[in-house]
Amino acid sequence: MSFDTIIDRFGTHSVKWDMMEDIYGVPAKDGIPMWVADMDFRAPDCVQNAIAKMHEHGVYGYYGDDSSYRNAICWWMQNRHGWTVDPDDIFTTHGLVNGTALCVDTFTAPGDGVVLMTPVYHAFAKVIRANNRRVVECDLSYENGRYEMDFDTWDKQMDGSEKMLILCSPHNPGGRVWTKDELEGVAAFAKRHDLILVSDEIHHDLVFGGARHIPMATIEGISDRLIMMSATTKTFNIAGSHSGNVIIHDPDLRAKFAAKMAALGMSPNSFGLHMAEAAYSPEGAAWIDDLIAYIDGNRQVFDEGINSIPGLASMKLEATYLAWVDFAGTGMTRDEFTKRVERDAKIAINHGPTFGSGGDDFLRFNLATPRSIVEQAVDRMQAAFADLQ
Ligand SMILES: Cc1ncc(COP(=O)(O)O)c(C=O)c1O
């Protein structure tokens, strides 16, 4: 399959396409959905074949013996990320928002503070608040067009009521791939303030060019307070399978998490397991290499077109397909630049403030779509902001 193929997703219960008019007022007829983080590409053949095989069999009973599925996860982490995972450390949840909620519920108590490095993926804060915990926003510093950690400031913010830190690695939005030094800084910060560290690495396979993702689990001396989270769903565009992995090496933390899963009667969905096992394969790896090159191409087309509009700055992504565009230089109000994107350019995007502190001047654009659509979006943006040229 070519990533250039345009696939009609209307009327398929796609939240991204079928809800854009309801949520953003961007007309379904000629709007471009560049918001929620799924891709407009078919999953690789190996994944489609796994589902076809299930369909051919036609019996959809309970799943048993997940050893080949666990081995596939271990193989992937070793081969793609240089991380040795013990198959017994793996839990399967209904995705990573679910994984985050389970971690918050298991390892903190109502009223506790949970630290986020903002702006960051909006569902973290939603889940923390829905569990009656407090969001503690630690602002990333925004310098020379990229995000950096600011431990000195954050140290002063902590008052001892914080119990957990949720790290997004690579970071969404902005696409930073954190360096070893930065990750060691996070580990030291978590230790200094006695925080459980949850590392959401869902975007770890979508890394460009020179950058290299380092799993938090490979950082020395943190495993006794570390929860790792990963998934096949972003990488292979199978988010609808609602499946993810929480990987815990520490026996005490693992026992607590297992007890919570048991208390909630959780067991995985067989479709998600079949798809994940098929995806974590040499065929899946080859597909991802092609996908990364394609998305990197989209990123270059988008950045060139957007950065040519005076006042707009697209942050240079090291990972993810989620462009993070700063409109501060336009001098416009948030309502004005958002209106121009939604009403004039007819593009549905994620609004910056939903990502927390520091997001006000930004909009997030999903670039995982055929190149011709990215080009069309750039043309529309240039027309919508033509008066700035
Ligand atoms: C950092 C991060 N974590 C989790 C998710 C969603 O995970 P899931 O679909 O497994 O709940 C996303 C989706 O964009 C994300 O960006």
Side-chain angles (χ1 to χ4, degrees):
M1 182 211 116
S2 159
F3 296 114
D4 284 327
T5 308
I6 295 181
I7 300 167
D8 183 1
R9 298 185 64 194
F10 277 119
T12 63
H13 293 281
S14 154
V15 65
K16 185 181 180 188
W17 288 80
D18 290 325
M19 301 296 287
M20 82 170 141
E21 186 147 13
D22 281 3
I23 296 177
Y24 292 103
V26 172
K29 186 169 49 79
D30 55 354
I32 303 180
M34 299 184 94
W35 60 299
V36 73
D38 70 22
M39 308 195 256
D40 296 324
F41 307 129
R42 286 203 171 91
D45 286 349
C46 54
V47 172
Q48 292 186 54
N49 292 341
I51 291 295
K53 207 167 143 200
M54 287 178 81
H55 177 59
E56 215 171 279
H57 192 237
V59 182
Y60 307 109
Y62 290 115
Y63 187 99
D65 184 9
D66 63 1
S67 51
S68 56
Y69 159 79
R70 284 171 190 268
N71 289 340
I73 296 168
C74 296
W75 177 82
W76 187 265
M77 297 311 166
Q78 190 71 63
N79 278 276
R80 299 291 293 192
H81 300 291
W83 170 30
T84 308
V85 174
D86 180 335
D88 292 335
D89 293 352
I90 302 170
F91 295 90
T92 299
T93 62
H94 296 295
L96 293 193
V97 175
N98 178 227
T100 306
L102 285 163
C103 288
V104 167
D105 191 25
T106 308
F107 301 113
T108 67
D112 285 349
V114 180
V115 178
L116 299 179
M117 300 177 183
T118 47
V120 74
Y121 176 52
H122 39 77
F124 293 157
K126 267 196 206 156
V127 154
I128 294 165
R129 293 192 178 110
N131 280 284
N132 300 317
R133 275 65 166 175
R134 286 178 305 105
V135 174
V136 179
E137 294 190 319
C138 284
D139 293 354
L140 289 162
S141 67
Y142 176 41
E143 272 162 39
N144 305 319
R146 71 191 233 133
Y147 288 127
E148 308 275 354
M149 295 178 180
D150 183 5
F151 297 111
D152 289 344
T153 306
W154 301 349
D155 277 339
K156 291 183 199 116
Q157 264 181 262
M158 299 298 107
D159 66 11
S161 65
E162 306 81 9
K163 301 293 176 223
M164 176 177 278
L165 163 65
I166 303 179
L167 173 73
C168 192
S169 175
H171 197 76
N172 166 25
R176 271 301 315 278
V177 172
W178 303 118
T179 62
K180 187 158 188 265
D181 276 357
E182 285 168 320
L183 294 173
E184 283 171 351
V186 172
F189 178 79
K191 278 191 225 171
R192 252 191 328 274
H193 300 286
D194 196 17
L195 306 172
I196 295 283
L197 175 57
V198 176
S199 189
D200 178 333
E201 306 195 2
I202 199 166
H203 295 284
H204 64 172
D205 291 312
L206 299 163
V207 172
F208 307 113
R212 192 171 74 84
H213 171 76
I214 301 171
M216 192 73 209
T218 63
I219 299 297
E220 292 276 303
I222 190 69
S223 78
D224 61 340
R225 59 178 71 245
L226 179 64
I227 318 283
M228 294 287 288
M229 299 204 301
S230 66
T232 46
T233 50
K234 283 296 127 172
T235 311
F236 296 99
N237 202 29
I238 51 178
S241 72
H242 269 296
S243 154
N245 296 115
V246 174
I247 303 177
I248 310 178
H249 192 58
D250 180 80
D252 293 336
L253 297 179
R254 200 165 59 239
K256 282 188 186 142
F257 196 80
K260 179 59 71 183
M261 297 270 292
L264 294 174
M266 286 193 59
S267 58
N269 171 313
S270 67
F271 289 91
L273 271 70
H274 279 283
M275 284 196 254
E277 181 174 339
Y280 279 161
S281 62
E283 208 185 331
W287 185 85
I288 278 299
D289 291 339
D290 291 346
L291 175 79
I292 289 169
Y294 191 84
I295 289 178
D296 198 21
N298 280 2
R299 181 186 66 74
Q300 286 169 37
V301 167
F302 184 82
D303 284 356
E304 206 173 294
I306 294 301
N307 291 334
S308 73
I309 304 171
L312 269 62
S314 179
M315 204 174 267
K316 187 159 192 281
L317 298 176
E318 295 167 329
T320 82
Y321 48 75
L322 304 164
W324 186 236
V325 180
D326 184 358
F327 288 77
T330 61
M332 293 176 189
T333 62
R334 187 154 56 78
D335 282 353
E336 172 63 16
F337 67 71
T338 306
K339 185 179 80 54
R340 287 187 184 213
V341 177
E342 289 178 346
R343 299 248 192 94
D344 302 343
K346 296 185 187 161
I347 300 173
I349 27 65
N350 287 92
H351 297 181
T354 56
F355 296 82
S357 171
D360 277 11
D361 295 329
F362 289 83
L363 297 174
R364 197 189 72 174
F365 293 70
N366 180 340
L367 306 182
T369 194
R371 180 87 31 95
S372 59
I373 297 184
V374 175
E375 286 164 350
Q376 214 182 326
V378 167
D379 289 347
R380 290 187 188 191
M381 287 288 289
Q382 287 177 337
F385 292 89
D387 55 326
L388 301 181
Q389 297 283 355

